[in-house]
């Protein structure tokens, strides 16, 4: 087994986990495909965000006769199937490559999004959201596996910053685009347009990305390589569990914003649906910019000799602390200050975004297990979305106010900061089997 010979990885991973990515430099083509991956996740998150504008629309809610609790269950449908499909999707991309599984799943989730516009019964609409969630589960395992094998360690923070800008911008543009389509036309056309437009992405993906589906005679070796980190070693690793907790807590806040922010701005702060989409855009544009800057800044500190784990942990903890300011908006009597804290808190969370992902999905994880580990950790992300959507809906139903949901966010952010500080240690990374 070959030791890592460049970048900071050799100083932070023990010998049996320091398996290098095949490439030690990042080519121009790789940067181009990274941008394509970012666009893919942008489309995925735009499709998710479209529902948040729909459930803030009175006509949509009347059509399906939904209460606040029902809206919460519909918002959570995506996340339950997303969570359940994460491990299977991670297993698939570790064995069958990134290009083909991603393309198939992408086409299916776009089709299901478009079909939602034709649904007339709540159960059928709920089913389309389950399909979208299950198919979008491929995005993270496939994307992080591709990055680990095609990007150098010294660029990984910046690269993940660029990639994660996609999900932030996707949410930022998805909500106002969906709101505009609903206001200008109706919710049916909104689903059709947002689903159908995404299919355009498949053209450059199929043309530009190298086919990494193993040929039949290479399949035994691909399966052996994918199995070199046993699932038992993954599930017993404190780093993996730290990633699960941190990602759950981080995602709880972001998915609360994806699901409920437009409704909060309309119902509690008195904005129009169009205005709510605009301020949702500002919030997610803010976290996108901070994510990129924070990833780049951490890379520069590490390149100058800073400890990679300690550096990225500091950014993660700072981001979670800044996110806690969301509760100040709940106590503000001023609309301007409430909107400020809404944007500021989510933007601050960007300090944690790329640095947390670099630690828990790339730097501290052996490459053969990237897909499966990301799948395991994103079960937590999916569950957090389901919990955030349904718990916030229940708290809103019981209390009649968004104050209680915001207080719960602060509790999770504190837990996430503690987990990052304590559990993300190199010696606790998943171990490669000695006979691999």
């Amino acid at each position: 087994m070959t030791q890592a010979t460049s970048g900071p990885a050799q100083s932070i991973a023990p010998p049996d986990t320091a398996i290098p990515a095949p490439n030690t430099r990042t080519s121009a083509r790789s940067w181009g495909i990274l941008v394509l991956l970012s666009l893919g996740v942008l489309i995925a998150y735009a499709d998710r965000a479209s529902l948040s504008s729909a459930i803030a629309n009175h006509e949509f809610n009347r059509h399906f006769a939904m209460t606040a609790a029902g809206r919460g269950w519909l918002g959570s449908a995506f996340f339950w199937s997303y969570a359940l499909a994460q491990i299977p999707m991670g297993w698939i991309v570790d064995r069958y490559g990134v290009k083909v599984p991603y393309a198939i799943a992408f086409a299916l989730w776009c089709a299901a999004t478009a079909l939602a516009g034709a649904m007339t019964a709540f159960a059928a609409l709920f089913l389309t959201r389950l399909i979208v969630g299950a198919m979008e589960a491929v995005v993270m395992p496939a994307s992080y596996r591709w990055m680990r094998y095609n990007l150098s360690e010294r660029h990984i923070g910046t690269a993940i910053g660029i990639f994660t800008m996609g999900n932030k911008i996707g949410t930022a543009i998805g909500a106002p685009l969906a709101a505009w389509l609903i206001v200008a036309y109706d919710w049916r056309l909104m689903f059709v347009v947002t689903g159908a437009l995404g299919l355009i992405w498949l053209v450059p993906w199929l043309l530009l990305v190298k086919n990494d589906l193993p040929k039949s005679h290479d399949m035994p070796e691909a399966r052996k390589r994918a199995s070199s980190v046993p699932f038992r070693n993954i599930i017993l690793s404190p780093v993996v569990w730290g990633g699960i907790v941190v990602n759950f807590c981080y995602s709880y806040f972001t998915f609360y914003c994806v699901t409920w922010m437009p409704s909060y701005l309309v119902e509690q702060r008195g904005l129009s649906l169009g205005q709510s989409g605009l301020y949702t855009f500002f919030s997610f544009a803010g976290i996108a910019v901070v994510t990129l800057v924070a990833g780049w800044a951490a890379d520069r500190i590490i390149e100058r000799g800073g400890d990679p784990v300690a550096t990225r942990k500091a950014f993660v903890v700072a981001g979670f602390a800044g996110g806690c300011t969301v509760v100040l908006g709940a106590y503000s009597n001023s609309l301007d200050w409430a909107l400020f804290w809404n944007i500021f808190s989510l933007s601050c969370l960007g300090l944690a975004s790329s640095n947390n992902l670099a630690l828990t999905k790339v730097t501290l994880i052996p490459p053969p297990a990237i897909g499966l580990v990301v799948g395991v950790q994103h079960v937590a992300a999916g569950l957090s979305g389901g919990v955030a959507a349904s718990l916030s809906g229940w708290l809103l139903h019981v209390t009649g106010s968004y104050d209680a949901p915001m207080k719960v966010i602060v509790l999770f952010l504190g837990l996430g900061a503690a987990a990052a500080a304590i559990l993300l240690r190199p010696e606790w990374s998943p171990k490669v089997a000695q006979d691999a």
Side-chain angles (χ1 to χ4, degrees):
M1 192 174 298
T2 306
Q3 290 274 6
T5 58
S6 65
Q10 60 182 347
S11 65
I12 61 174
D16 58 353
T17 64
I19 304 175
N23 290 346
T24 57
R25 65 184 183 85
T26 302
S27 67
R29 181 183 180 87
S30 293
W31 285 113
I33 295 175
L34 174 68
V35 172
L36 189 58
L37 286 170
S38 185
L39 289 173
V41 77
L42 183 155
I43 293 166
Y45 273 72
D47 286 344
R48 300 180 198 186
S50 62
L51 184 67
S52 67
S53 292
I55 65 174
N57 177 253
H58 296 304
E59 180 189 346
F60 178 80
N61 295 327
R62 282 198 303 270
H63 182 85
F64 292 103
M66 285 189 292
T67 63
R71 291 154 66 196
W73 281 112
L74 181 63
S76 70
F78 167 94
F79 299 104
W80 299 126
S81 61
Y82 181 80
L84 289 172
Q86 283 294 322
I87 293 177
M89 286 297 188
W91 186 91
I92 287 170
V93 299
D94 278 340
R95 284 156 179 78
Y96 302 104
V98 170
K99 181 175 182 176
V100 174
Y102 199 159
I104 293 171
F106 193 101
L108 290 174
W109 95 57
C110 286
T113 298
L115 283 173
M119 298 300 105
T120 58
F122 179 84
L125 179 66
F126 192 88
L127 178 61
T128 65
R129 299 308 294 177
L130 290 175
I131 294 171
V132 173
M135 293 301 101
E136 284 196 18
V138 77
V139 174
M140 296 305 176
S143 298
Y144 284 104
R145 179 175 174 82
W146 184 91
M147 282 188 275
R148 184 63 180 90
Y149 277 93
N150 292 276
L151 304 173
S152 68
E153 175 68 29
R154 68 191 182 91
H155 292 140
I156 205 67
T158 303
I160 291 177
I162 293 171
F163 172 71
T164 56
M165 281 187 73
N167 60 44
K168 309 304 184 296
I169 295 175
T171 308
I173 66 174
L177 174 63
W180 178 79
L181 287 169
I182 291 170
V183 171
Y185 301 97
D186 66 7
W187 59 267
R188 298 169 185 82
L189 184 65
M190 180 273 293
F191 281 118
V192 173
V193 169
T194 55
L197 281 178
L199 290 170
I200 298 171
W201 179 90
L202 282 171
V203 176
W205 177 259
L206 293 173
L207 292 175
L208 299 177
V209 179
K210 180 181 178 181
N211 189 359
D212 56 350
L213 179 67
K215 299 185 184 302
S216 57
H217 61 274
D218 294 326
M219 193 63 72
E221 179 60 29
R223 290 173 178 167
K224 179 181 177 183
R225 186 167 57 249
S227 302
S228 62
V229 183
F231 187 74
R232 181 178 184 276
N233 291 5
I234 292 172
I235 207 65
L236 293 179
S237 167
V239 164
V240 173
W241 280 101
I244 288 172
V245 175
V246 173
N247 284 294
F248 182 97
C249 297
Y250 173 94
S251 299
Y252 186 95
F253 186 13
T254 57
F255 286 141
Y256 164 82
C257 293
V258 168
T259 308
W260 284 105
M261 185 186 291
S263 297
Y264 160 73
L265 294 173
V266 170
E267 296 169 6
Q268 187 152 320
R269 292 301 175 179
L271 300 183
S272 68
L273 182 59
Q275 290 173 321
S276 75
L278 182 63
Y279 279 100
T280 301
F281 169 81
F282 288 144
S283 296
F284 281 95
I287 191 175
V289 172
V290 175
T291 292
L292 180 58
V293 173
W296 175 86
D299 281 353
R300 300 291 74 75
I301 293 170
I302 293 166
E303 199 167 35
R304 291 181 173 90
D307 178 80
V309 174
T311 299
R312 297 200 192 281
K313 274 189 183 182
F315 276 89
V316 172
V317 173
F320 277 60
C324 289
T325 58
V326 66
V327 78
L328 298 178
Y331 287 105
S332 177
N333 294 321
S334 164
L335 175 61
D336 290 341
W337 277 108
L339 294 174
F340 169 80
W341 290 118
N342 209 52
I343 295 170
F344 178 84
S345 60
L346 190 59
S347 298
C348 279
L349 195 65
L351 294 170
S353 299
S354 56
N355 290 293
N356 164 53
L357 297 172
L359 281 177
T360 61
K361 296 175 173 43
V362 179
T363 302
L364 294 176
I365 306 301
I370 290 287
L372 189 54
V373 170
V374 172
V376 169
Q377 292 183 348
H378 269 268
V379 171
L383 290 175
S384 73
V387 173
S390 55
L391 177 59
S392 298
W394 179 78
L395 290 170
L396 175 62
H397 179 73
V398 170
T399 66
S401 169
Y402 285 86
D403 293 0
M406 290 184 180
K407 292 174 184 176
V408 172
I409 290 170
V410 174
L411 293 176
F412 280 118
L413 291 177
L415 175 62
I422 296 169
L423 295 176
L424 301 185
R425 301 172 59 176
E427 61 269 28
W428 288 347
S429 296
K431 302 298 188 293
V432 176
Q434 294 301 319
D435 56 352

